[in-house]
Amino acid sequence: MVRNRRRWMPIVLLAAGSLALAGCGGGNKNSNPASGGSTQVEVFSWWTGGGEAKGLEAMVADFKAKHPTIAFQNAAVAGGSGTNAKAVLASRLQAQQPPDSFQGHAGAELLDYIKAGQLETLDSFYDQNQLRSVFPQQLVDQITFEGHVYSVPVNIHRSNVLWYSPKVLTEAGISAPPGSIAEFIADLQQVKQKTKKIPLSLGAQWTADHLWESVMLADLGPDGWNALWKSGADWSGANVTKALQDYAEILKYTNAEAASTDWQLAAKDVVDGKAAFNIMGDWADGYFRVDLKKKPSSGYNWAAVPGTNGVYDWLSDSFTLAKGAPHRAAAVQWLGFLGSKKAQDTFNPLKGSIPARKDANPKLYDTYLKWALKQWKSDKLAGSLTHGVVASNAWNTDIDTALGLFLQNKNVGNFQSALVSAAKKRSGT
Ligand code: GAL
């Protein structure tokens, strides 16, 4: 396994030459901590269900104990990967009725909010809370624009995980998880031939986006994948065509009822022994272990997505201070708490993510997360598309639309042309 130097795509690069953020600095009229009451704080996320809510609940309980005078208003909107939540958030921001603090992925997604002037900078907050050195510098780069920092990261998730049922693999005569896309396709075929189980479980369309991203990363490699998001990138090459063909092939082994379920039910098929494989981010570990009470290694097992060993397709959930936050002072308390070692070590062992802070206590993290902590230190980095790192919401939506059509017509040529057009239109925006 070749271990290359980490490659991040700082916001500064993604945003090269883009607009200045006049009025978005710490000097705006909302920056006085005394403005707005401090009796409640409204926090917006999409963490409502299995694998999502438990970590938030535990962290909120700690926050309430520490700040008994602040009423916590949980404004979470259900739906994996925030597809519903982001739409609700967009209309609230449009109507200038922001929640005090909302979830946003570090990277390009955050940049959308920054460019729209919807976030306050957190420069002095970072200095006061001595946060500048507690997160990896590369992560700080992803929440920084034109020298100002804009959010507090609470975790780092890995998106390229292959979850599998040891039982179903044994039943299919497969002794080890596949290491390449070719082996993966052969194994899917073997599961289909030798068992009555679903070879690869899939859920709502965003999980098909997530799967597509994983196959692209495997076929293009991290350098090829990361390069796609740079200005003038070539999406018309044979490597992209090959990845789309592989994706089409893999889709043949997914369950037909996929689209009507969210990620939890698709992932649950694996621990219930109904499916051999599922490709999902490591929030699935939180769901399996904490919600479904399954034991890592026996109830479920994992490997890097075939073809991505040594690569960490990362994303980070971060929370913002909305411009015009009605309860600004309380929101600042919330963010201060969120950035603390205590909060991160409470939240992440339950959520199935590793902490964004460098000084968290590794002993608190279970089997999968110990593995993730280790991989994070050595793997080469790729940024997630589905979870907001490499492309704006608009570009992401264009790809999702093209992919939705592809799921129906399976036309590789049309899909690739749509991807080329989307890149021409959105690259550098
Ligand atoms: C991601 C988010 C994760 C998890 C996942 C599934 O976008 O970063 O924390 O919530 O969606 O909903």
Side-chain angles (χ1 to χ4, degrees), residues 46-47 52 80-81 105 157 206 263 283 315 317 351 387:
W46 53 87
W47 295 333
E52 311 274 54
S81 86
H105 288 122
H157 269 305
W206 76 264
W263 69 269
W283 41 91
L315 58 120
D317 294 306
K351 179 68 164 62
H387 308 283

Side-chain angles (χ1 to χ4, degrees), residues 143-278:
I143 54 171
T144 301
F145 181 66
E146 297 188 336
H148 301 290
V149 65
Y150 282 92
S151 70
V152 178
V154 67
N155 66 4
I156 291 159
H157 269 305
R158 175 177 174 125
S159 93
N160 57 324
V161 190
L162 176 75
W163 304 98
Y164 63 92
S165 159
K167 215 171 118 223
V168 179
L169 260 56
T170 306
E171 198 184 323
I174 298 168
S175 56
S180 66
I181 291 287
E183 281 176 23
F184 188 35
I185 293 173
D187 284 353
L188 291 170
Q189 199 172 23
Q190 196 162 322
V191 174
K192 192 176 171 188
Q193 278 165 0
K194 298 207 169 163
T195 77
K196 292 196 180 340
K197 308 296 160 69
I198 301 163
L200 176 66
S201 60
L202 200 64
Q205 187 174 316
W206 76 264
T207 71
D209 296 348
H210 187 113
L211 174 64
W212 173 77
E213 164 172 343
S214 306
V215 176
M216 288 283 287
L217 178 60
D219 274 350
L220 273 70
D223 291 342
W225 170 257
N226 286 338
L228 288 178
W229 313 102
K230 297 197 170 121
S231 226
D234 182 15
W235 281 76
S236 65
N239 55 351
V240 174
T241 314
K242 167 76 170 69
L244 301 186
Q245 284 162 347
D246 282 342
Y247 180 58
E249 185 60 26
I250 288 168
L251 283 174
K252 291 182 186 159
Y253 299 95
T254 57
N255 41 332
E257 75 281 12
S260 57
T261 61
D262 208 339
W263 69 269
Q264 287 95 337
L265 288 180
K268 191 168 180 292
D269 280 345
V270 166
V271 296
D272 287 349
K274 292 184 184 163
F277 299 106
N278 176 249

